Amino acid sequence: LPDERERSEALAGRTREFSDFLVNVMGAGDLGAHLQGKAVFHCGCHQRRELGVLDEPRDLLINVGGLDLVDWENEELCCGFGGTFAVKMPDVSTAMADEKIKALEESGADTLISGDSSCLLHLEGRLRRTGHDTRVLHLAQVLDHGKAG
């Protein structure tokens, strides 16, 4: 339907990824957040490949007081969720998550942060099933953490 398409395109033109909106529209940098820990950031495939939003989450996270943001091996690899991929190919999906978790362990981080809720659900589920107590947080939770008032 032409009307539906027009409305969809109008909405798409006003829709931004969270960190992209904060940094590039609102001009945000230091939001006054504080979170003690050593963290890695996982950039979801859609954010990386479709949107190309790579620097903005890190630009926000480096300003979080008490947070040591570290690099980790193969950060660019998919977590293995991929919508129906995890259902259609569960063994491959699990193996991909396990690769991410291995890299997470090797980084020494106690916290996993992402802006992608699907990735977080997938990785946290696998972390818990394998006995890890790694803290798993959405970027928005981190940026709102420990703020006064």
Side-chain angles (χ1 to χ4, degrees):
L1 299 165
D3 186 47
E4 248 347 92
R5 180 185 178 105
E6 189 176 304
R7 287 179 33 220
S8 297
E9 288 174 353
L11 175 62
R14 298 190 314 268
T15 305
R16 303 289 290 255
E17 187 276 333
F18 178 66
S19 64
D20 173 49
F21 178 77
L22 287 176
V23 172
N24 298 317
V25 176
M26 300 302 295
D30 187 344
L31 297 174
H34 185 89
L35 180 70
Q36 208 63 40
K38 185 175 183 179
V40 292
F41 181 79
H42 169 71
C43 185
C45 293
H46 181 74
Q47 181 175 346
R48 173 181 302 284
R49 294 184 182 97
E50 301 301 320
L51 301 177
V53 178
L54 303 175
D55 296 329
E56 290 83 350
R58 287 169 183 78
D59 292 346
L60 293 164
L61 288 170
I62 60 172
N63 288 306
V64 174
L67 189 67
D68 180 14
L69 185 64
V70 298
D71 292 328
W72 56 323
E73 192 158 344
N74 298 321
E75 185 280 328
E76 73 283 356
L77 295 182
C78 176
C79 74
F81 185 70
T84 60
F85 177 80
V87 176
K88 292 180 178 180
M89 305 194 76
D91 293 342
V92 176
S93 175
T94 299
M96 292 172 76
D98 287 347
E99 281 297 310
K100 294 295 287 190
I101 291 169
K102 180 182 174 198
L104 172 64
E105 290 174 327
E106 290 172 358
S107 76
D110 57 28
T111 305
L112 169 66
I113 302 167
S114 182
D116 189 305
S117 297
S118 298
C119 296
L120 289 173
L121 286 170
H122 182 59
L123 290 170
E124 183 173 26
R126 191 67 187 144
L127 282 162
R128 299 301 171 255
R129 282 189 294 281
T130 55
H132 292 81
D133 62 355
T134 305
R135 184 170 47 178
V136 178
L137 298 169
H138 189 279
L139 177 61
Q141 291 174 291
V142 175
L143 297 177
D144 190 49
H145 195 272
K147 292 169 63 173

